[in-house]
Amino acid sequence: MAMGDTPITVIGNLTSDPELKFTQSGAALARFTVASTPRTFDRESGQYKDGTAMFMRCSAWRGLAEHVTESLAKGSRVIVSGRLRQFDWQTDQGENRSMLALEVDDIGPSLKFATATTTKATSGGNGSGSNGAGDPWSTGSTPAGDEPPF
């Protein structure tokens, strides 16, 4: 993790099946959203109450992207670890926009309410976001010819 990155871990459920795309340069990119809802115990009612859900947009790259789309589906409870990034852009109408998103370093199913069977991947990708070539998004700008992660 590069200096200045904001590490974050989110536990929640996938809101839809991860979407796999390939950039113009051929890098695999998986996009998905994790919904995380805080839950507190209300002593007066003796029941748990849900708080306001947070929806975190996530992106995974290369081998990890392919593993995510092969292994996880809508509703899967996951533990996601990565780097919080801010993305700024301007709309066609000239309005400035900004969003926070999670660039995934690692992800796996939560075993709190489920079981899972793992299989060691035999693909050539190492599963990392940079694939040994450095982080193409560290400057906050899109590499020429590639699309942004969101």
Side-chain angles (χ1 to χ4, degrees):
M1 196 169 303
M3 187 170 196
D5 283 343
T6 305
I8 185 171
T9 299
V10 176
I11 301 171
N13 297 70
L14 296 183
T15 61
S16 62
D17 290 342
E19 173 189 354
L20 181 64
K21 289 188 172 193
F22 291 88
T23 64
Q24 290 181 0
S25 65
L29 167 63
R31 296 175 179 157
F32 54 94
T33 300
V34 175
S36 181
T37 306
R39 183 169 250 208
T40 57
F41 186 74
D42 183 349
R43 291 180 191 218
E44 289 181 22
S45 68
Q47 297 181 353
Y48 283 95
K49 292 191 176 183
D50 289 339
T52 302
M54 174 188 68
F55 295 89
M56 179 62 66
R57 289 288 297 156
C58 302
S59 63
W61 289 94
R62 297 171 179 75
L64 180 58
E66 294 179 37
H67 298 163
V68 165
T69 56
E70 291 170 9
S71 305
L72 301 171
K74 178 180 179 177
S76 297
R77 185 163 178 85
V78 294
I79 303 168
V80 185
S81 178
R83 295 160 281 156
L84 194 58
R85 298 289 178 99
Q86 179 169 326
F87 294 92
D88 302 305
W89 70 95
Q90 198 170 60
T91 67
D92 293 338
Q93 295 77 26
E95 298 170 323
N96 292 326
R97 302 286 183 181
S98 179
M99 73 176 280
L100 292 176
L102 182 60
E103 191 166 316
V104 178
D105 290 324
D106 207 352
I107 182 171
S110 170
L111 302 180
K112 188 171 185 176
F113 303 112
T115 62
T117 302
T118 60
T119 305
K120 185 170 175 99
T122 57
S123 66
N126 68 3
S128 73
S130 66
N131 204 17
D135 181 1
W137 303 101
S138 62
T139 62
S141 62
T142 305
D146 280 350
E147 61 185 90
F150 303 98

